[in-house]
Amino acid sequence: MSRSGVASVVRSPRFGDDWWRRGVVYQVYPRSFADADGDGVGDLQGVIDHLDHLGPDGLGIDAIWLSPIYPSPGRDVGYDVSDHRAVDPVFGSEGDFDRLVEAAHERGIRIVLDLVMNHTSDRHRWFTASRQARTGPYADWYVWRDPRGSGPDGTPLPPNNWVSWFGGSAWRYEPARGQFFLHTFLEEQPDLNWRAPGVEAAQFEMVQGWLDRGVDGFRLDVFNIFLKHPDTPDNPTRDGASAWDRQLHRYDIDHPDQPALIRRFRDLVDRAPGRMSVGELFVGTTEGAAALTTDRHLVFDWELISQDWRADAFRGAIQRRERAFGNDRWPTIVLSNHDQPRHASRLAATIAATGDERDAIARAAALVELTMRGTPFLYYGEELGMSDVAIPPEESIDPPAARISEDFGWWDRSQARTPMPWSHGRGAGFTTGRPWLRLGPDAPTRNVAAQLGDPDSVLACYRRVLAARGAQPSLQDGELALVTIDDPTVLAYRRRGSGPEILVAVAFDRREAEIRVPAPTDGGRWRSLVGTHRDPPAAIVGHEPWVLRPFEGVVLVADR
Ligand code: GLC
């Protein structure tokens, strides 16, 4: 129940209970979306104020995934949670959250929360109690182990060789208990012991609390590492570039009893129809993601997020995904998120593209992202072609970035988390105060207001293609088959589903491509539906050769 006592339900959604598959999810990073109270940090009221950008008269997305909104000391910028049941006051009040759910639901938009359940902050009251003594109600709620002897100088030795993703040993000694606790991430993020019966019960109760407040789904942070091997054996070692890569993570991730845990979680979530969840696969393969995917529980695979901007690279990635997921499991489509470089920057860099070419690639990538088989997860700002912003180290707000070393070769994620530019002028319509992270230098021209007025903008392209996706059932539910085109720099595929057949062709190169496409499977001709450019090449395309402009993508629909 919301605090008003009435559970909010989605009004006139575009799709029914099938939205998790037919729809599009949009990730809001709350600190950076819109700041309503002028403190420089985005907030929930800011999201409410900008729902029109996302709703049916704007992009027309189906759900918002909110990155963590819970109280957090900020060591991992919200992914170190000190109370999973509450809203961090920096984002607003409990009432603001309920109003956001209500306002989103009125526009047919669902709310997906980010659940960080593998670990808590070390300031969480469970951990504060657990670290005090080996007895007490929370004593076994974290992964505590005895030292494996002591070193020559008497210092206790960690129980095994496991390493933290953020560098160094994954164990930290706690003198009060004479034991080590496990932290896969920072030492301020101790891993919960999901094998303690109280932990699962407490987590599920917390989940129920959010469901009662009208939440429609969850993203599960690093969901494939909740359960570790109970005996915590040493991982086998191998060659690799970082401490993490020099181990085979046989005992700390992907434990075989994980799927049963997700089934129990789904039993809870499934008490009301139409709720989805999506698991963030922590360092795994596409096959691993597919294996953990079940009905209404999607799993992110990272095949697409690491490809260069080349047709053969995307073709290969699509092939591997299709092979791994098959037709009975539903994939996700992700090109950017809060942990990775923004794809407008990343893809352009792979072919040394700048300026207009960069935006042309952003439009072409959008067309691929919104027409492939799977549920697209857009990252706020990608609809503007936002790029990574150079953040001087002293302005970085990503504490793990300070640990980057030869042994932890990551990057400063602040660069991909900068404020959304809404309009020109000071604060770019994001804030009236001083933004928590600097705005991109291109904010005066690359912003929502400017792009709304420009039919050639990246935003105009997203809106056009999203509208076409919403109107074409085969783009939502169809199978995908790659199509071979004479020019290898063109990626093409068919989608066959519950509506007319679709053919997508995208030129990845900076030169024109003359192509012929095969006829629709059931005969007839292709009609051009939508494209990266406002004037797609031809109204009707048959067998005749036809020219795609540099970085042009076109969606054709079978016309009988
Ligand atoms: C996930 C989050 C990332 C965070 C990590 C630890 O990978 O996406 O931002 O640092 O989990 O919680």
Side-chain angles (χ1 to χ4, degrees), residues 186-329:
L186 298 174
E187 63 185 59
E188 293 90 351
Q189 294 171 292
D191 285 48
L192 281 159
N193 173 22
W194 275 82
R195 298 189 187 280
V199 168
E200 183 170 313
Q203 299 283 42
F204 284 12
E205 193 186 311
M206 174 272 293
V207 170
Q208 186 64 57
W210 290 112
L211 291 173
D212 290 345
R213 287 174 80 171
V215 163
D216 306 282
F218 300 101
R219 174 225 185 229
L220 306 185
D221 191 61
V222 297
F223 90 110
N224 57 323
I225 64 167
F226 290 0
L227 290 160
K228 284 84 181 168
H229 193 292
D231 303 332
T232 50
D234 274 348
N235 277 325
T237 53
R238 62 171 174 192
D239 287 342
S242 66
W244 181 271
D245 286 342
R246 282 192 291 277
Q247 293 194 357
L248 279 170
H249 293 275
R250 184 171 296 163
Y251 300 119
D252 51 349
I253 67 178
D254 286 328
H255 201 266
D257 45 14
Q258 181 71 15
L261 170 57
I262 296 303
R263 275 199 296 279
R264 294 195 293 281
F265 168 78
R266 283 297 331 176
D267 286 345
L268 169 67
V269 175
D270 278 331
R271 283 187 204 153
R275 287 161 173 173
M276 68 90 83
S277 48
V278 55
E280 182 211 20
L281 190 77
F282 179 59
V283 291
T285 60
T286 298
E287 289 70 27
L292 291 170
T293 300
T294 53
D295 200 18
R296 273 157 294 123
H297 179 69
L298 303 172
V299 179
F300 291 136
D301 78 285
W302 306 120
E303 196 72 59
L304 295 166
I305 213 163
S306 55
Q307 297 309 321
D308 288 358
W309 182 250
R310 289 196 332 264
D312 63 330
F314 270 70
R315 206 175 291 123
I318 291 174
Q319 242 157 13
R320 287 188 293 278
R321 277 161 50 93
E322 289 296 316
R323 202 177 305 132
F325 281 84
N327 277 334
D328 50 342
R329 290 172 202 245

Side-chain angles (χ1 to χ4, degrees), residues 10-79:
V10 190
R11 274 187 231 127
S12 37
R14 226 176 9 164
F15 308 115
D17 292 351
D18 212 15
W19 67 276
W20 57 274
R21 172 159 113 118
R22 292 181 178 267
V24 175
V25 183
Y26 182 99
Q27 179 185 2
V28 164
Y29 193 71
R31 299 182 82 88
S32 288
F33 195 62
D35 169 25
D37 64 8
D39 66 356
V41 179
D43 44 43
L44 298 178
Q45 185 60 48
V47 183
I48 297 174
D49 293 345
H50 290 85
L51 281 173
D52 286 344
H53 173 66
L54 305 174
D57 299 328
L59 290 170
I61 52 92
D62 301 277
I64 295 171
W65 149 25
L66 284 174
S67 279
I69 53 163
Y70 323 103
S72 159
R75 300 302 303 160
D76 192 10
V77 213
Y79 285 87

Side-chain angles (χ1 to χ4, degrees), residues 76 79-80 114 116 119 166 185 189 219 221-222 280 282 338-339 400 410 413 417:
D76 192 10
Y79 285 87
D80 50 324
D114 203 328
V116 189
H119 44 269
F166 289 139
F185 299 94
Q189 294 171 292
R219 174 225 185 229
D221 191 61
V222 297
E280 182 211 20
F282 179 59
H338 64 289
D339 289 328
W410 221 17
R413 296 172 293 177
R417 299 176 174 176

